[in-house]
Amino acid sequence: PVTRILGSSFVVGVGWRFRPPPVGVMRKRPNILVTGSVGAGKTSLCAMLAPMIGFEHIEVSARITEHKLYDEWDDKLNASIFNEDLVLDYLEPFVQKGGCLLDFHSCDFFPESWIDHVSVIRVNNTVLYDRLKARGYDQRKIDENLQAEIFQVVLDDAREFYAPEIVTELQNDTEEEQQLNIQTLSMWAAAWTPDMRPRRKAREDDDDSGRRARSRSPRGRASKRD
């Protein structure tokens, strides 16, 4: 099984599996993935957005902990090493129905067939520093997350692994920007129809099974702390 560290900048294991939707299944509502650096404001945004549009807010990191969807705990990194297969198996019944607001700091292991829209939440570095400091993070953890935001790791991953037309970048430094982002996503959800579902993004490195090879080393991948 593929595993990776939950709450760290490093990934354990490599690989990707494409899960096609079940035959005959057509979602009547879309699934939205809200992703971005820790401290960007994903969870607070989703918590306000979900009841407004009637979606189920799934804070993936919390579900991993609650349902023990991990292999072990890494004391050095103070993080669980979550099992991608367990996470995907848990989430599958929810996303098949549609109407899911997935909230997670990593985006590249969700099957493309599951996701209709990806919103990458961005934040100014000074604002992010203050938020992480307020959470009591040590300097090493703050620096890891700041570097990931500076180098727009999550945004690049989203653009690489999903069709570009479904990926949006939303700045989220202030309450005013947060409200605007909520309005933007509400309008998108209201306008969505099943024929708007994106096609899978074909890649040269896909094999016959749909498994995608990783071109980067594990240390080059970011899975930041939530």
Side-chain angles (χ1 to χ4, degrees), residues 188-205:
W188 181 90
W192 183 87
T193 58
D195 59 0
M196 293 170 59
R197 291 181 62 183
R199 293 185 177 183
R200 180 170 174 248
K201 187 177 179 181
R203 295 175 178 81
E204 294 179 357
D205 58 351

Side-chain angles (χ1 to χ4, degrees), residues 161-173:
F161 291 103
Y162 297 95
E165 63 268 21
I166 75 166
V167 179
T168 59
E169 180 181 1
L170 300 176
Q171 197 67 28
N172 200 54
D173 297 332

Side-chain angles (χ1 to χ4, degrees), residues 13-44:
V14 294
W16 187 90
R17 183 179 65 224
F18 175 68
R19 292 189 177 195
V23 175
V25 172
M26 177 62 75
R27 294 193 297 270
K28 295 183 178 179
R29 294 195 297 171
N31 293 315
I32 300 174
L33 172 59
V34 178
T35 187
S37 300
V38 174
K42 303 180 299 298
T43 300
S44 59

Side-chain angles (χ1 to χ4, degrees), residues 101-162:
L101 193 58
L102 298 171
D103 161 13
F104 202 43
H105 54 250
S106 182
C107 64
D108 65 342
F109 75 98
F110 296 106
E112 290 179 83
S113 61
W114 287 11
I115 306 300
D116 299 289
H117 183 79
V118 181
S119 285
V120 181
I121 308 302
R122 303 300 307 279
V123 63
N124 175 274
N125 294 329
T126 301
V127 174
L128 180 59
Y129 179 90
D130 292 341
R131 291 177 183 177
L132 298 178
K133 194 71 174 178
R135 294 187 182 190
Y137 284 16
D138 62 35
Q139 193 60 46
R140 180 183 65 84
K141 296 176 182 178
I142 291 175
D143 289 342
E144 285 181 3
N145 287 294
L146 284 174
Q147 288 178 19
E149 183 65 18
I150 290 169
F151 291 106
Q152 62 181 40
V153 173
V154 181
L155 179 61
D156 287 348
D157 283 347
R159 288 172 172 170
E160 178 181 355
F161 291 103
Y162 297 95

Side-chain angles (χ1 to χ4, degrees), residues 19 68-71 83-91:
R19 292 189 177 195
K68 296 181 171 57
L69 308 176
Y70 53 82
D71 294 322
N83 184 305
E84 288 188 5
D85 287 331
L86 292 178
V87 174
L88 294 177
D89 288 343
Y90 170 81
L91 292 174

Side-chain angles (χ1 to χ4, degrees), residues 53 59 127:
I53 61 177
E59 186 182 354
V127 174

